Amino acid sequence: MLVFTACLVGIFARPIGFLSAFWPANALVLGLLVRYPTLARPPAWIAAGLGYVAADLVTGSHWGMALWLNAANLLGATVGWLVLRRLDESILRLRRTVSALYLLLAALAASAVGALAGCGAAPVYFNAPWSDLLSLWFSTELMNYMLIVPVVLALPRADDPPSGHPSAQGASLLWRAAPLGSLLLAEGVRTFVGGPGMLAFVVPGLLWCALSYSTFTACLLSLVVCLWTMAGVATGVLNFTPAHAGDVFSLRVGVTLLALGPLAVACASAARAEALRRLAHAKRHDDLTGVLARRALLKQGERVLAQHQRGCAGAAVMVVDVDHFKQVNDRHGHRAGDRLLIGIAQTIAGTLRGEDLLGRMGGEEFAVVLPGVSPAEAHAMAEHLRKAVEQQAFSVGDDGPRGPHGNTPGGPQNATVSIGLVHSATLGGDADMEVMLLAADTALYRAKAEGRNRVVVG
């Protein structure tokens, strides 16, 4: 249905007796196949083919022309998909500086193959030279791919980071609207001034939008502006038929290059923002287990305690230490010890609530902040955590000597933890994170002295 609808849009934009001036169906098919890889199966191609042919037939086209031209349409989109399908997901989600280049290469390949496959229909159905159809087909496909495919690929997803550039966060509404305002102003000036340089008037505004807004917003603005530009140039001057093939080719290639610059800038900006997000995440999280690093836990824990320790329920802090961890390293190797720490961190995280904080203090020691709990609730949660670790068999592998058949000795490892627990009610409302951690650490030493694998309340 999507292909059928897109084809109808193109058909109604078709000059009498020739190809459409704007044909979004092929770019839509390519974008959907790349964005949703599970669609790339025979049923999807068959459905797309039916959508193509049905749109032509219901609008009165000859069945032979419908089959020929739409086979070329589908072939071109398939070639573009073959170029893009093995690329890294971050490239296809327009989060790499080379994303625009790969899209351009795919668009060139798809446009060339589609045009070569369809240009032979010119003398048969349109009484025109095949070279004119080749030129017009290639240029319109190149423009459509470069305008529409980025919009489809950049459509917001549930796992997307916050939209917009990091530098725009916290900016005033006026400042955030300034790039769009500059684009509208450039459009007004271009309409008033006119002339051969009018294509370039909007470039600064598009680049500013690409630097300031999300990739999807920047691509959508490029689509609207470029189509408006093409329509403005063509109105009363060009007719999208072989009579103006050279001028139309020049116009469409110019519009494509107009869109390429902002797209490249938007991709580079998204790549930079992604790198900054990863750097910020790496600074806040432990690189082995993925839980909060010590400094981040102290900082966030301080805020949580300030919010909850004066409340009715209060807050609790526990320090968790893996029992006999050195023996694991000595018997099975440090890589096995690392895998055990990762498994224990995952087990602990699985017992916690969404609002709880988990961090690694160093070595085999973790700390947990439990906001909004009573002393009894905190103790019950600590016991639940201890039992969860005790009952879990951890697959740690082995770095030790291999047996005669190449197998590694030992299987899943069991582990226990000792826990020191302290509640804000015990220390008073003024206790900060450092004080509570010190008290929980003292309780932890008592737990280890009393035999390990237990919870001791400080």
Side-chain angles (χ1 to χ4, degrees):
M1 292 305 298
L2 285 171
V3 172
F4 178 78
T5 304
C7 288
L8 290 181
V9 172
I11 289 170
F12 290 127
R14 177 184 295 170
I16 297 176
F18 204 64
L19 297 181
S20 175
F22 175 63
W23 186 260
N26 300 350
L28 181 63
V29 169
L30 176 57
L32 291 175
L33 289 175
V34 173
R35 183 184 171 99
Y36 304 105
T38 54
L39 282 178
R41 296 180 297 171
W45 269 284
I46 294 173
L50 291 175
Y52 278 117
V53 175
D56 265 336
L57 294 181
V58 299
T59 53
S61 296
H62 187 272
W63 66 268
M65 184 179 71
L67 291 177
W68 187 341
L69 297 184
N70 288 312
N73 284 329
L74 198 53
L75 178 62
T78 302
V79 168
W81 170 76
L82 290 172
V83 173
L84 296 174
R85 69 189 183 105
R86 296 189 181 276
L87 295 179
D88 184 80
E89 184 182 7
S90 62
I91 295 177
L92 299 180
R93 297 183 72 167
L94 309 184
R95 294 181 182 175
R96 295 277 296 277
T97 54
V98 295
S99 295
L101 175 60
Y102 279 113
L103 283 181
L104 178 61
L105 292 175
L108 287 169
S111 303
V113 171
L116 287 170
C119 65
V124 178
Y125 296 107
F126 303 114
N127 194 29
W130 67 268
S131 57
D132 287 346
L133 183 57
L134 177 69
S135 169
L136 292 170
W137 190 309
F138 174 82
S139 61
T140 189
E141 285 299 274
L142 180 64
M143 181 189 70
N144 292 335
Y145 282 130
M146 291 305 295
L147 290 179
I148 297 173
V149 173
V151 175
V152 177
L153 297 183
L155 276 169
R157 312 185 191 203
D159 60 341
D160 281 344
S163 61
H165 196 272
S167 62
Q169 296 178 4
S172 67
L173 179 61
L174 181 61
W175 178 251
R176 282 182 286 154
L180 180 58
S182 71
L183 191 58
L184 295 174
L185 179 62
E187 276 292 343
V189 172
R190 181 169 69 174
T191 303
F192 178 75
V193 175
M198 63 181 297
L199 276 177
F201 276 40
V202 294
V203 170
L206 285 174
L207 294 178
W208 193 4
C209 290
L211 287 169
S212 304
Y213 300 142
S214 68
T215 307
F216 170 71
T217 303
C219 292
L220 186 61
L221 288 173
S222 289
L223 171 63
V224 173
V225 169
C226 289
L227 290 181
W228 180 260
T229 298
M230 187 181 70
V233 173
T235 300
V237 179
L238 293 180
N239 189 10
F240 293 91
T241 63
H244 296 89
D247 292 334
V248 172
F249 180 88
S250 176
L251 171 62
R252 284 172 170 163
V253 172
V255 170
T256 301
L257 296 179
L258 175 64
L260 181 61
L263 174 61
V265 171
C267 292
S269 181
R272 177 177 177 273
E274 180 70 14
L276 291 175
R277 280 189 291 269
R278 290 183 178 180
L279 178 61
H281 184 275
K283 289 176 63 177
R284 294 193 305 266
H285 292 78
D286 176 55
D287 60 351
L288 176 65
T289 62
V291 301
L292 291 173
R294 177 188 177 93
R295 181 177 297 179
L297 178 69
L298 292 175
K299 186 175 181 179
Q300 295 187 35
E302 199 68 64
R303 290 199 299 264
V304 168
L305 289 178
Q307 294 171 2
H308 290 87
Q309 66 182 357
R310 293 182 177 85
C312 297
V317 171
M318 54 180 163
V319 178
V320 183
D321 187 84
V322 182
D323 296 329
H324 305 297
F325 181 72
K326 185 176 183 300
Q327 296 179 11
V328 176
N329 283 334
D330 293 342
R331 292 178 182 175
H332 305 286
H334 289 279
R335 286 175 58 191
D338 289 346
R339 288 191 284 268
L340 178 60
L341 288 177
I342 294 171
I344 289 177
Q346 292 173 346
T347 301
I348 294 174
T351 68
L352 301 178
R353 307 165 300 170
E355 64 268 29
D356 299 331
L357 301 178
L358 168 62
R360 184 182 177 198
M361 303 304 288
E364 67 271 25
E365 190 172 272
F366 299 88
V368 179
V369 180
L370 305 171
V373 294
S374 66
E377 290 170 337
H379 189 269
M381 294 175 68
E383 280 291 347
H384 177 57
L385 186 158
R386 182 191 65 78
K387 292 178 181 177
V389 174
E390 183 181 30
Q391 296 168 2
Q392 178 71 43
F394 299 97
S395 177
V396 299
D398 203 315
D399 296 329
R402 292 183 176 269
H405 302 291
N407 60 308
T408 56
Q413 302 292 316
N414 292 102
T416 61
V417 293
S418 300
I419 301 175
L421 174 67
V422 64
H423 195 275
S424 59
T426 306
L427 300 178
D430 295 330
D432 59 15
M433 189 67 183
E434 291 282 2
V435 171
M436 293 194 70
L437 278 174
L438 182 61
D441 207 42
T442 302
L444 170 66
Y445 281 111
R446 287 172 48 202
K448 297 170 74 72
E450 293 175 11
R452 294 183 170 86
N453 190 25
R454 65 191 64 229
V455 177
V456 170
V457 179

